[in-house]
Amino acid sequence: QSVLTQPPSVSAAPGQKVTISCSGSSFNIGNDYVSWFQQVPGTAPRLLIYRNNKRPSGIPDRFSASKSGTSATLGITGLQTGDEADYYCGTWDISLSVVVFGGGTRLTVL
Amino acid sequence: QVQVVESGGGEVQPGGSLRLSCAASGFPFSDYGMHWVRQAPGKGLEWIGVVWHDDHRKAYADSVKGRFTISRDNSKNMMYLQLDSLRAEDTAVYYCTRGGFGPESYYIGDYWGQGTLVTVYS
């Protein structure tokens, strides 16, 4: 049971848009920055978004994110087959004094 | 360029010990926190722990507290994870990842290694 809640899976057609939600509490998402990670099966995770909505260099602007209260959302536009991966949200929980992750969302590009 | 490389994984029996290493390069190591994250086969990411940039503070997940110990050697740009009293459920790929700058050491994950596999078998 993860502290942050994500849908297990989402799917959309190539070229379409998809959003992935991440729900937490006032002790984690509501208190600190959220990061998003992409993990293509068999590879290491990669940082997609930091500080709620900032993209590291090299991450295309098809990837965006936002935060409101105790929830965060990752959006991906212009879906490509290469976007098929697991996506995780993560942040610091000030009550538990630990990093918490969502359970991950498997994106399928149909 | 920034790199973190894990090593030291392997097979060990329940109750055994293992020491993982993380070699960092391409950035001022002593300015950044460092984390360990693991992923059991077919499962999601599980945070293990963090060591602050100056080695003055550490934090651990409840699942490993008292069994795993994180340390770092800023003179060698190295971080370590000592795994003791290993259990079958500790079987996972263990990733090293850079944390935040200075007091924000607890921020996680802008650079990740490729991981090292630990298998606990009986």
Side-chain angles (χ1 to χ4, degrees), chain A residues 26-71:
Chain A
S26 59
F27 297 116
N28 39 68
I29 292 178
N31 183 75
D32 215 322
Y33 293 119
V34 176
S35 298
W36 289 90
F37 305 91
Q38 177 194 58
Q39 187 179 32
V40 175
T43 70
R46 173 174 77 145
L47 179 68
L48 274 185
I49 299 287
Y50 67 100
R51 293 186 186 262
N52 299 336
N53 55 18
K54 305 291 188 288
R55 282 179 287 105
S57 61
I59 301 299
D61 58 8
R62 300 187 298 106
F63 295 90
S64 64
S66 62
K67 188 183 96 166
S68 178
T70 59
S71 293

Side-chain angles (χ1 to χ4, degrees), chain B residues 80-121:
Chain B
Y80 305 98
L81 180 64
Q82 179 67 36
L83 296 77
D84 296 319
S85 303
L86 282 162
R87 308 165 180 166
E89 54 265 35
D90 295 319
T91 293
V93 174
Y94 285 73
Y95 295 103
C96 158
T97 176
R98 192 175 80 165
F101 181 85
E104 298 180 337
S105 287
Y106 59 93
Y107 287 146
I108 186 167
D110 59 353
Y111 290 93
W112 296 66
Q114 288 307 300
T116 187
L117 176 62
V118 173
T119 303
V120 184
Y121 71 100

